[in-house]
């Protein structure tokens, strides 16, 4: 993605800031699907994702630097999803995902005056993150009739960077109005 409005364009369009934004994103990987007869399949993928940011933004009225961002986010991920028809009315899906996150945030924030007229000092953020994320899930989808089914899902996610564990139980009821 590339966006590069100049000061003149910002004034003409009542924009608060202007500058250049260059974002580059790519994902490369491999996927493997294994059929387990007529009852189900497994889908496993391994990928590398990268996104780089090269942004400058300036305040339209003064031309002062608001932000200079030179950051890079990358991740290596592994995901497995298994789908099985248990019988004519019940489907189970389960799996896991794991991700190693590598991020380098290099951001300069310019000094400015806030809406109350108070000066705010500029700052620089240089943050390096190397951490792991993991998740696992299970879902059961029973069909009660041709027109009514439900979904019961449980998911757990862990982010080692902040040692946060999230549990997410979910349930839904689905009605088909016609075939």
């Amino acid at each position: 993605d590339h966006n590069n409005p100049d000061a003149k364009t910002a004034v003409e369009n009542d924009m608060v800031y202007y500058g250049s934004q260059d974002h580059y994103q790519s994902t490369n990987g491999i996927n493997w699907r294994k059929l387990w007869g007529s009852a189900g399949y497994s889908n496993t993928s391994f990928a590398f994702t990268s996104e780089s940011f090269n942004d400058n933004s300036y305040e339209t009225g003064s031309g002062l630097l608001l932000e200079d961002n030179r950051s890079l986010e990358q991740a290596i991920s592994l995901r497995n999803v298994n789908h099985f028809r248990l019988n004519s009315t019940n489907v189970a899906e389960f799996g896991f995902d794991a991700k190693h996150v590598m991020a380098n945030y290099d951001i300069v924030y310019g000094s400015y005056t806030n809406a109350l007229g108070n000066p705010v000092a500029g700052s620089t953020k240089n943050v390096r993150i190397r951490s792991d994320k993991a998740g696992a899930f299970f879902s059961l989808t029973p069909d009660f009739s041709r027109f009514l089914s439900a979904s019961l899902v449980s998911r757990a996610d862990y982010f080692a960077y902040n040692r946060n564990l999230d549990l997410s139980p979910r349930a839904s009821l689905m009605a088909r109005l016609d075939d």
Side-chain angles (χ1 to χ4, degrees):
D1 290 333
H2 177 72
N3 187 21
N4 193 19
D6 58 14
K8 181 182 174 198
T9 302
V11 170
E12 290 171 356
N13 292 287
D14 295 323
M15 297 166 59
V16 176
Y17 64 91
Y18 67 93
S20 64
Q21 295 176 319
D22 292 306
H23 295 184
Y24 299 93
Q25 182 179 27
S26 68
T27 299
N28 299 288
I30 189 166
N31 192 66
W32 176 56
R33 179 177 279 177
K34 171 66 176 163
L35 298 176
W36 301 103
S38 61
Y41 61 90
S42 294
N43 199 31
T44 303
S45 60
F46 179 76
F48 174 76
T49 301
S50 178
E51 185 169 7
S52 66
F53 304 88
N54 187 355
D55 304 339
N56 292 311
S57 59
Y58 303 90
E59 185 179 44
T60 300
S62 67
L64 293 174
L65 175 71
L66 294 175
E67 179 185 79
D68 182 18
N69 181 0
R70 305 284 182 264
S71 298
L72 177 65
E73 296 176 346
Q74 297 176 315
I76 299 169
S77 59
L78 176 65
R79 179 171 170 83
N80 172 263
V81 179
N82 304 284
H83 182 90
F84 286 97
R85 179 162 289 287
L86 302 174
N87 54 39
S88 63
T89 60
N90 294 293
V91 174
E93 193 171 77
F94 58 93
F96 70 90
D97 47 58
K99 185 181 289 189
H100 180 67
V101 177
M102 301 158 289
N104 299 325
Y105 298 106
D106 294 313
I107 306 171
V108 174
Y109 297 101
S111 57
Y112 65 97
T113 302
N114 68 17
L116 300 175
N118 299 319
V120 177
S123 64
T124 300
K125 302 292 181 194
N126 293 311
V127 179
R128 307 285 181 261
I129 296 174
R130 303 292 185 270
S131 191
D132 297 308
K133 290 181 170 184
F137 64 92
F138 176 81
S139 73
L140 180 63
T141 305
D143 286 333
F144 300 116
S145 72
R146 213 170 90 205
F147 298 105
L148 187 63
S149 64
S151 181
L152 305 170
V153 180
S154 181
R155 180 170 177 89
D157 289 290
Y158 180 73
F159 189 21
Y161 182 74
N162 58 8
R163 296 182 192 99
N164 191 34
L165 175 64
D166 289 317
L167 301 174
S168 306
R170 303 171 193 152
S172 65
L173 190 61
M174 294 161 285
R176 293 175 201 84
L177 300 178
D178 60 37
D179 287 330

